[in-house]
């Protein structure tokens, strides 16, 4: 099963995606709720243990995992890198992954996640904005996604509570140049934590800068 097929099984909450020059939304003085948004601090081992951005890999299909996980993990990396425009989070899946996995390379996934604990549990509109760019390095299909999960306070551990709504999933289509992306997120009531994940499937180099999450959007 293709990774995109797996994603299609989720029903996303309403959101508005605006790209580049077509963007008209503006935040209204809200405080950025994301930690390490300038990527001045290193990645953390696990967001369930320490606030910040973490990283991890996944390969769809048990047989594929057993066959490729060990070698694929050595070839890929999520890292904070320096660009001409400043520091960025990079999800790098080189062409060597495609050489290793062949036609199964689109089932390889590399992601970075942060858990945000909200100030209140009233829900409502939030605005997530960031700059992103992407470089293709393989011949097989590759895709990039934003995933946002909503959980309540039933577990004292951040991000471990019960789901308060269906996962929001958006396909990201940045180009080789930096593009600004803004997504309005409708947070369900009784949500304490947002689990925000940027994910790349297949091979490619995805870079992320200036992520910002603020409450309310006009």
């Amino acid at each position: 099963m293709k990774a995109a097929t797996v994603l299609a099984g989720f029903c996303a909450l309403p959101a508005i995606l605006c790209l580049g020059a077509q963007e008209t939304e503006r935040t209204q003085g809200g405080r950025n709720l994301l930690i390490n948004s300038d990527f001045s601090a290193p990645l953390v081992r696990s967001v369930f243990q320490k606030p910040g951005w973490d990283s991890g890999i996944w390969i769809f299909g048990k047989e594929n995992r057993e066959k490729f996980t060990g070698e694929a993990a050595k070839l890929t990396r999520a890292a904070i890198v320096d660009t001409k425009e400043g520091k960025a989070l990079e999800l790098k899946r080189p062409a060597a992954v495609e050489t290793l996995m062949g036609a199964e390379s689109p089932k390889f996934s590399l992601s970075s996640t942060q858990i945000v604990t909200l100030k209140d549990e009233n829900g409502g509109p939030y605005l997530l904005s960031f700059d992103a760019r992407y470089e293709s390095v393989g011949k097989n299909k590759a895709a990039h996604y934003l995933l946002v999960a909503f959980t309540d306070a039933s577990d004292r551990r951040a991000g471990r509570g019960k789901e308060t709504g269906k996962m929001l999933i958006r396909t990201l289509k940045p180009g080789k140049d930096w593009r600004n992306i803004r997504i309005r997120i409708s947070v369900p009531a009784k949500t304490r934590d947002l689990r925000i994940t940027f994910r790349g499937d297949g091979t490619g180099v995805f870079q992320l800068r200036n992520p910002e999450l603020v409450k309310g959007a006009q």
Side-chain angles (χ1 to χ4, degrees):
M1 179 181 292
K2 298 288 186 182
T5 302
V6 174
L7 286 173
F10 292 97
C11 178
L13 290 172
I16 295 178
L17 172 62
C18 300
L19 303 177
Q22 295 179 352
E23 172 53 46
T24 59
E25 299 235 50
R26 292 293 181 269
T27 58
Q28 300 296 312
R31 183 176 69 86
N32 189 0
L33 301 176
L34 292 172
I35 297 172
N36 195 24
S37 60
D38 61 358
F39 301 116
S40 59
L43 300 179
V44 300
R45 183 177 180 83
S46 171
V47 291
F48 293 107
Q49 299 175 4
K50 185 178 180 180
W53 297 99
D54 73 1
S55 67
I57 70 168
W58 179 256
I59 298 176
F60 292 92
K62 181 180 178 180
E63 183 177 345
N64 286 330
R65 287 194 295 275
E66 293 174 347
K67 186 176 181 180
F68 299 121
T69 297
E71 290 302 314
K74 298 176 184 178
L75 298 173
T76 62
R77 70 166 189 173
I80 295 172
V81 299
D82 291 313
T83 72
K84 292 181 180 179
E85 297 79 14
K87 292 186 178 296
L89 173 63
E90 181 177 84
L91 302 179
K92 186 175 183 180
R93 299 101 58 211
V97 173
E98 191 171 290
T99 301
L100 172 68
M101 297 182 63
E104 299 299 296
S105 66
K107 298 180 182 179
F108 176 84
S109 178
L110 175 66
S111 64
S112 186
T113 298
Q114 180 169 147
I115 296 175
V116 179
T117 297
L118 304 178
K119 277 191 169 183
D120 62 64
E121 300 176 21
N122 297 324
Y126 284 73
L127 186 66
L128 177 65
S129 64
F130 51 91
D131 299 325
R133 67 182 179 186
Y134 164 70
E135 180 181 353
S136 176
V137 298
K139 297 179 181 179
N140 294 340
K141 182 179 179 180
H144 299 87
Y145 303 96
L146 166 72
L147 303 93
V148 183
F150 310 91
T151 55
D152 67 11
S154 58
D155 192 311
R156 62 181 179 80
R157 298 170 297 177
R160 298 286 196 179
K162 296 178 181 178
E163 292 184 355
T164 58
K166 295 180 180 178
M167 181 179 288
L168 180 150
I169 301 171
R170 286 293 178 268
T171 302
L172 305 177
K173 296 183 178 180
K176 290 185 178 180
D177 297 323
W178 290 109
R179 300 182 70 183
N180 181 254
I181 300 174
R182 294 171 181 252
I183 300 176
R184 186 187 298 157
I185 302 173
S186 297
V187 177
K190 299 184 179 179
T191 297
R192 183 189 66 184
D193 303 315
L194 300 184
R195 188 168 69 249
I196 298 174
T197 299
F198 290 93
R199 176 179 129 186
D201 293 356
T203 57
V205 180
F206 175 83
Q207 292 183 337
L208 169 76
R209 294 184 62 245
N210 302 323
E212 181 179 76
L213 176 69
V214 297
K215 183 175 183 179
Q218 184 174 356

